[in-house]
Amino acid sequence: MLESALRNWVAAMGPTVRTEDAAKSLRWAREALPLARRGIVPSDRLIRCAEHMPTLVVFRDEELVRAVADLRLAPLKAVRPRHRERLMRTLLACLQNGFNATEVANRLHVHPQTVRYRLHQLEELFGDALYEPESRLEMEMVLTVWLTAPKDDPRPADVIRLEGSKRPAAPKPLAVGDRR
């Protein structure tokens, strides 16, 4: 019933909590909306924050994650930008699929030998850090954020207008000197 009432709106529902923690649930729901606008969480239906907790945690402090990225992904700075992104996507897929070349190849739509070649390059760049549990966790976290760079968008974080919506969107914030 709730989802049909919100058909033309993007809405988020915080996780079920005790009554005294309702403000926390509301805050988490509000934090999910900008992630939906950026395409990080799906916005085609009611966003149930309980289904996206890891994403909410990772994107909670993107500045800190980017600082860790500068440190953990430093070896990639020596690689040309176009090739760097391919290596980053390959590394993330490897971390998410247990370094299984066949699974990674299916996910990236490349040949398994291409994955093995890129993995060899990553091993040369990162050395043993590629397989250390703490490094792997940090790299997966920072690559997830890094590969979904924020878009500059002046709209308020809690309003997302869908195509075909008959309801008016929130007004854009006024810049200095603008009139309504």
Side-chain angles (χ1 to χ4, degrees):
M1 184 169 132
L2 182 59
E3 290 195 28
S4 64
L6 297 170
R7 186 177 56 243
N8 292 326
W9 291 86
V10 173
M13 180 174 72
T16 304
V17 296
R18 298 178 316 206
T19 305
E20 57 268 20
D21 292 331
K24 292 177 185 175
S25 182
L26 176 61
R27 182 184 47 158
W28 293 326
R30 285 182 173 165
E31 290 173 358
L33 291 173
L35 298 177
R37 181 181 328 119
R38 292 168 49 195
I40 295 166
V41 295
S43 61
D44 58 338
R45 62 187 178 282
L46 177 65
I47 301 163
R48 299 178 188 278
C49 292
E51 297 171 2
H52 303 285
M53 291 299 216
T55 302
L56 290 171
V57 170
V58 169
F59 283 87
R60 181 70 193 254
D61 190 346
E62 291 181 64
E63 288 181 27
L64 178 60
V65 173
R66 289 185 194 286
V68 174
D70 286 342
L71 178 67
R72 282 290 176 206
L73 302 180
L76 288 170
K77 290 180 182 175
V79 179
R80 290 186 328 261
R82 186 171 179 195
H83 189 58
R84 181 183 311 137
E85 184 167 345
R86 281 189 218 131
L87 287 177
M88 290 169 68
R89 291 191 185 284
T90 301
L91 178 54
L92 179 58
C94 283
L95 292 165
Q96 293 172 335
N97 292 282
F99 290 89
N100 180 319
T102 305
E103 291 295 321
V104 172
N106 287 336
R107 188 171 191 167
L108 298 178
H109 307 289
V110 297
H111 193 278
Q113 190 57 37
T114 302
V115 172
R116 289 184 196 98
Y117 174 72
R118 291 178 187 170
L119 186 54
H120 179 71
Q121 291 177 308
L122 290 165
E123 287 171 340
E124 287 179 357
L125 289 168
F126 288 95
D128 293 336
L130 204 55
Y131 300 104
E132 295 170 0
E134 186 174 314
S135 295
R136 289 174 60 175
L137 175 63
E138 289 178 355
M139 284 191 277
E140 184 172 353
M141 177 182 65
V142 299
L143 286 166
T144 299
V145 173
W146 196 270
L147 291 171
T148 52
K151 311 274 187 288
D152 292 334
D153 192 344
R155 289 181 292 179
D158 58 350
V159 176
I160 304 171
R161 186 160 191 260
L162 295 177
E163 295 299 318
S165 174
K166 294 180 173 99
R167 298 177 186 171
K172 293 183 180 178
L174 294 176
V176 177
D178 284 352
R179 292 185 181 192
R180 285 198 185 258

